[in-house]
Amino acid sequence: MKFQTIRGMQDLLPEQQTLFSDISDRVGSVLHRYGYAEMGMPLLESTSLFKRVIGEATDIVEKEMYTFDDRNGDSLTLRPEGTASCVRVAQQHGLLFNQTQRFWYRGPMFRYERPQKGRYRQFEQIGAECFGMAGPDIDAELILMCARLWRELGIADEIELELNSMGDAASRGEFREALVGYLEQYKSELDEDSLRRLESNPLRILDSKVASTQAILTDAPKLKDFIDDESKAHFEELCAILDAAGLAYHINPSIVRGLDYYNRTVFEWVTNSLGAQGTVCGGGRYDGLVEQMGGKPTPGVGFAMGLDRLALMLEQKFQSAAVADIYVVSTAGDARMLALKVAETIRDALPAARVVVHCHSGKFKAQMKKADASDAKIALIIGEEEVAAQSVNVKMLRDEGQSQNLVGLNDLISHLTEVLK
Ligand code: ATP
Ligand code: MG
């Protein structure tokens, strides 16, 4: 019997993992430059946390969570998203009282979904959450930070910003009532999912992919007609900041986000280059959440981006990562001993250089093939003659003619420093 990955789970082979780590580091470095502090959160939380925060009538809680009883009989859930945990951490450790905070986190999330390209049951997110700041300036900062990131990753041309305001809780309540009133007239024509949501979470019907339902929605009441004045002003100011920064966006009234906690600003970064799984990053404001979780009223806003989808976009752009700058080949015995010693000396003196020693038997020719495949710029060749002369042959693998020099051990570091420039 051969074991296989569980459906929806992915193995990241070295090339893919390198790409993931690379993207993650680049995102992290941008967040760092904006003054965001990284935090780590457990993969497991009590099930009730997610039910309470995300909402009972959401897709995630209704059908996507990995929930089980532990040996103690407590119901636990593998986190399907990061905001709930982040708010819990901030509250539990008293990080929110009279403070402004900018946090970020990264790691796997779990949702029991139908796996397809860009949609997995374990996927990687990077999230940012800001607390204690109520104005549109911080919404704008989060959005501009994403825009910078797309530029640095070289994908700014392929991603667009979709923006909407959901108003405050009261205006959403009024809209909800009006929407339900309107849709009740079409009960017999609604698809099954939408009919169910009419009771539990009618706003989600706006997201429906069913054409006949979308047709019914054409004449439905519009959220924007219910938005309170303060939320309107907040949104206008946000748009003004983005305009002043020269950032293009598209106001999309159907963006309501799948989770219960959002209010006012909501946004998504969307691409055409990934087919149906086009949302690379989603976020918004959640001013009521901390209070709803038993804390003092604290405004919040954040986003989460999907690393798997970013990796799919970047796959073609990044060359497969080279594993070595210097590859050391040698014959067995004394020469191999010298090879290992020389490699350590280089690692001490040139910490940025990646040095790989061929640690397996094999003829010189086969070893040189490995050196070539490693993408290394330089092969160091050590045989009995080199040992006798206390020297190393330095071969420039990528130069025309592949020049080769016998270099004494004492001069090796300065020689390598020169040729690695
Ligand atoms: P979608 O509409 O694609 O299901 P979502 O609204 O459920 O996305 P969020 O909860 O906002 O997604 O998560 C933020 C980001 O995480 C998404 O924009 C996406 O890039 C990524 N993401 C979400 N679910 C998955 C998944 N199952 N597999 C891979 N990436 C995902
Ligand atoms: Mg989803």
Side-chain angles (χ1 to χ4, degrees):
M1 171 182 167
K2 282 190 184 149
F3 291 107
Q4 299 277 325
T5 42
I6 293 165
R7 188 166 138 82
M9 307 283 157
Q10 308 178 84
D11 297 321
L12 298 180
L13 300 183
E15 205 168 294
Q16 224 178 344
Q17 180 59 56
T18 306
L19 177 60
F20 262 68
S21 306
D22 195 23
I23 299 172
S24 173
D25 290 348
R26 283 162 186 250
V27 180
S29 112
V30 170
L31 284 154
H32 183 73
R33 277 146 61 200
Y34 278 77
Y36 287 66
E38 185 174 7
M39 66 154 79
M41 305 160 327
L43 300 191
L44 282 174
E45 298 276 358
S46 69
T47 302
S48 52
L49 173 70
F50 298 117
K51 282 194 175 167
R52 173 90 168 272
V53 171
I54 299 170
E56 298 264 3
T58 55
D59 278 354
I60 292 182
V61 172
E62 269 181 356
K63 50 190 186 200
E64 295 176 358
M65 294 206 303
Y66 279 89
T67 297
F68 62 94
D69 287 347
D70 73 0
R71 288 172 189 279
N72 205 21
D74 296 328
S75 180
L76 303 181
T77 293
L78 278 167
R79 63 180 188 192
E81 56 106 57
T83 305
S85 308
C86 187
V87 172
R88 181 199 53 73
V89 173
Q91 251 179 294
Q92 181 176 332
H93 300 276
L95 307 179
L96 297 182
F97 187 66
N98 275 346
Q99 300 180 67
T100 62
Q101 297 281 15
R102 291 171 165 92
F103 297 123
W104 73 282
Y105 50 83
R106 57 182 149 193
M109 306 292 162
F110 303 83
R111 296 183 195 175
Y112 195 82
E113 303 203 66
R114 197 167 68 78
Q116 50 203 294
K117 185 182 166 201
R119 188 176 297 284
Y120 313 99
R121 291 181 174 176
Q122 176 179 331
F123 58 99
E124 198 85 11
Q125 273 188 350
I126 291 189
E129 316 286 352
C130 301
F131 298 100
M133 293 165 269
D137 43 3
I138 187 70
D139 304 12
E141 176 184 283
L142 283 163
I143 289 171
L144 293 171
M145 186 164 70
C146 290
R148 175 177 303 281
L149 185 66
W150 313 142
R151 287 198 301 277
E152 294 194 5
L153 290 172
I155 50 175
D157 292 348
E158 298 165 61
I159 300 191
E160 283 177 1
L161 174 60
E162 311 247 313
L163 201 57
N164 192 22
S165 174
M166 301 184 60
D168 64 13
S171 50
R172 238 165 75 196
E174 284 167 33
F175 169 64
R176 185 188 154 114
E177 249 174 62
L179 183 67
V180 172
Y182 170 85
L183 289 174
E184 298 231 293
Q185 311 167 70
Y186 299 94
K187 254 182 156 165
S188 57
E189 297 160 54
L190 283 177
D191 64 276
E192 202 181 310
D193 265 349
S194 297
L195 197 59
R196 196 168 42 84
R197 285 180 175 147
L198 196 54
E199 308 271 314
S200 59
N201 193 353
L203 260 52
R204 282 310 303 271
I205 300 176
L206 303 176
D207 266 354
S208 169
K209 305 269 187 296
V210 180
S212 56
T213 299
Q214 277 303 329
I216 295 170
L217 285 169
T218 320
D219 294 324
K222 298 284 177 277
L223 176 58
K224 70 171 167 29
D225 298 325
F226 291 80
I227 293 195
D228 58 294
D229 289 344
E230 265 183 66
S231 295
K232 252 187 216 156
H234 183 105
F235 192 60
E236 278 162 17
E237 210 178 318
L238 169 61
C239 293
I241 301 172
L242 298 181
D243 290 337
L247 186 75
Y249 53 87
H250 171 231
I251 297 177
N252 180 351
S254 70
I255 291 193
V256 292
R257 312 283 304 134
L259 319 180
D260 270 2
Y261 50 65
Y262 288 107
N263 69 305
R264 290 200 174 157
T265 312
V266 284
F267 61 89
E268 288 186 357
W269 289 94
V270 191
T271 180
N272 282 326
S273 48
L274 292 179
Q277 272 55 253
T279 310
V280 175
C281 174
R285 188 161 270 288
Y286 46 85
D287 294 330
L289 182 56
V290 174
E291 194 179 5
Q292 184 199 317
M293 287 172 69
K296 289 219 161 58
T298 308
V301 58
F303 65 65
M305 58 182 67
L307 233 58
D308 303 79
R309 294 184 190 174
L310 281 174
L312 284 171
M313 290 184 76
L314 286 163
E315 240 165 28
Q316 290 90 2
K317 289 195 166 51
F318 283 79
Q319 289 290 317
S320 73
V323 295
D325 300 305
I326 300 172
Y327 196 97
V328 189
V329 309
S330 65
T331 47
D334 288 352
R336 180 64 49 84
M337 268 171 69
L338 182 59
L340 289 165
K341 192 173 147 214
V342 163
E344 285 299 316
T345 311
I346 299 171
R347 291 180 185 118
D348 286 338
L350 307 172
R354 292 163 303 170
V355 186
V356 173
V357 178
H358 188 97
C359 280
H360 190 57
S361 55
K363 298 214 165 65
F364 259 133
K365 202 172 157 198
Q367 292 194 33
M368 288 307 289
K369 263 197 185 154
K370 289 272 184 198
D372 198 46
S374 78
D375 244 15
K377 203 173 164 190
I378 296 166
L380 298 185
I381 305 168
I382 306 178
E384 295 309 317
E385 284 167 32
E386 283 83 0
V387 175
Q390 285 296 293
S391 305
V392 173
N393 252 306
V394 182
K395 184 167 183 171
M396 303 303 294
L397 295 172
R398 313 293 154 195
D399 292 359
E400 228 178 299
Q402 301 202 331
S403 67
Q404 190 168 313
N405 283 302
L406 189 67
V407 179
L409 289 182
N410 291 337
D411 302 326
L412 184 61
I413 296 302
S414 56
H415 182 83
L416 288 175
T417 309
E418 195 56 36
V419 293
L420 276 172
K421 263 184 195 162

